[in-house]
Amino acid sequence: MGVQWRIVLYATDKPIANNASQIAFRRVKELNKVLSDYDPNSELNQLCQLSGPGKPVKVSPDLFKVLKRSQALSQETDGAFDVTISPVVRLWRRARRRKQMPDSERLQAARDLVGSKWMRLSEQNQTVELLQPSMRLDLGGIAKGYAADVALHVLKEHGIERVMIDASGDLALGDPPPGSCGWKIGISSSDAPGAKIDRYLQLKNCAVATSGDALQHVVIDGRRYSHIVNPHTGLGLTDQSRVTVIAPDGMSADSLASAISVLGPKKGIALLSQKPGTACLILRHEQGELKSYESPCFSCFELPPTEP
């Protein structure tokens, strides 16, 4: 999935631990072949090539589950999260490499293909139908979280409950380490690369994910654009931000962090208020200053400053 994965676990038997972790890693590799938009032979890309108006395609349970959750979140966020955004994202990847704005006509043509309404799911038949030609799907905002959830489940099936799955900063957490009330997760009050860790969360049996553009952005004509694209405008976000979300599962944390990056603090925190077990911290640059926004429950997961 383009990032490093790490598993931290506690077990009474080293061979059992090694075997279980190897099975979990293999499962993640299998999911990469299902969900990747970079692999031309992935099930996701095969779906995009085979489907079209009047051409529903039967998909695996994994892919269907992720697309179903994606479509639901798109509806909840009025399209702020949308996996049909791939045609626009591909233009922005090229724009970042060339440091040039995408061609306006090509951008408009790509935007015309974006919208969850153009993706029809049949739960009864487990099929997906893409209702416009040349549609492409991008699961970059949700696939890591789902894969982390699955890896966590695999380890629990093998009797390993005290575990942390680290998908390059997106974390799925089981029971805490021995003698601890939770996994101690460090975050920073700054969004600068390599910023000092000065806040700590204590988490168990949940997930946490961060979405930001500190390392992935481009400056064009003096304006800073994020790699995170707003589905409504087809443009990279210009509101420099970092969003950290705590949620009951990795798929929720991953996708909500992406969605809130687009929604902004007011709408993002309002969205989380409808979802039990969720909280977020949002850092944004506004008028030359770094401002912090927290949902009411975020501090409930935080260790006191005297216990770093």
Side-chain angles (χ1 to χ4, degrees), residues 45-199:
N45 281 330
Q46 290 298 308
L47 166 65
C48 296
Q49 294 171 20
L50 296 174
S51 186
K55 297 179 180 178
V57 174
K58 188 174 180 61
V59 299
S60 67
D62 287 315
L63 182 53
F64 191 87
K65 185 175 183 178
V66 173
L67 292 178
K68 182 181 177 182
R69 177 75 73 88
S70 300
Q71 193 170 60
L73 186 58
S74 180
Q75 294 169 356
E76 291 177 23
T77 60
D78 295 323
F81 182 86
D82 197 323
V83 297
T84 68
I85 194 143
S86 181
V88 173
V89 170
R90 287 169 181 250
L91 288 180
W92 273 99
R93 286 175 183 166
R94 185 178 303 158
R96 285 174 54 207
R97 290 195 301 268
R98 298 181 176 181
K99 297 185 178 182
Q100 296 179 345
M101 290 292 287
D103 175 78
S104 59
E105 291 186 4
R106 294 187 66 185
L107 183 59
Q108 184 58 54
R111 287 181 60 194
D112 290 342
L113 300 175
V114 176
S116 63
K117 64 182 178 181
W118 303 122
M119 184 173 65
R120 179 181 294 164
L121 307 181
S122 171
E123 192 149 18
Q124 180 178 358
N125 300 319
Q126 200 170 292
T127 59
V128 180
E129 181 182 356
L130 304 180
L131 301 177
Q132 290 204 81
S134 303
M135 285 182 66
R136 306 283 298 190
L137 305 179
D138 183 343
L139 302 179
I142 195 170
K144 278 195 304 178
Y146 176 69
D149 287 338
V150 172
L152 188 65
H153 179 71
V154 167
L155 289 167
K156 288 185 176 182
E157 284 186 326
H158 285 77
I160 298 176
E161 302 283 344
R162 300 182 185 276
V163 58
M164 176 180 71
I165 308 293
D166 179 1
S168 192
D170 286 2
L171 308 177
L173 308 169
D175 288 348
S180 173
C181 295
W183 293 88
K184 191 179 294 185
I185 308 301
I187 58 175
S188 174
S189 298
S190 169
D191 68 342
K196 179 183 177 181
I197 300 297
D198 57 1
R199 301 177 69 173

Side-chain angles (χ1 to χ4, degrees), residues 187-247:
I187 58 175
S188 174
S189 298
S190 169
D191 68 342
K196 179 183 177 181
I197 300 297
D198 57 1
R199 301 177 69 173
Y200 292 87
L201 305 173
Q202 186 168 259
L203 305 172
K204 62 180 178 179
N205 297 312
C206 65
V208 59
T210 297
S211 179
D213 59 5
L215 299 178
Q216 297 190 66
H217 60 268
V218 64
V219 177
I220 302 175
D221 297 330
R223 192 165 193 182
R224 187 183 191 280
Y225 294 93
S226 171
H227 74 293
I228 304 169
V229 176
N230 185 335
H232 296 304
T233 65
L235 301 176
L237 298 179
T238 56
D239 299 323
Q240 185 179 346
S241 68
R242 190 189 76 199
V243 178
T244 298
V245 171
I246 300 167

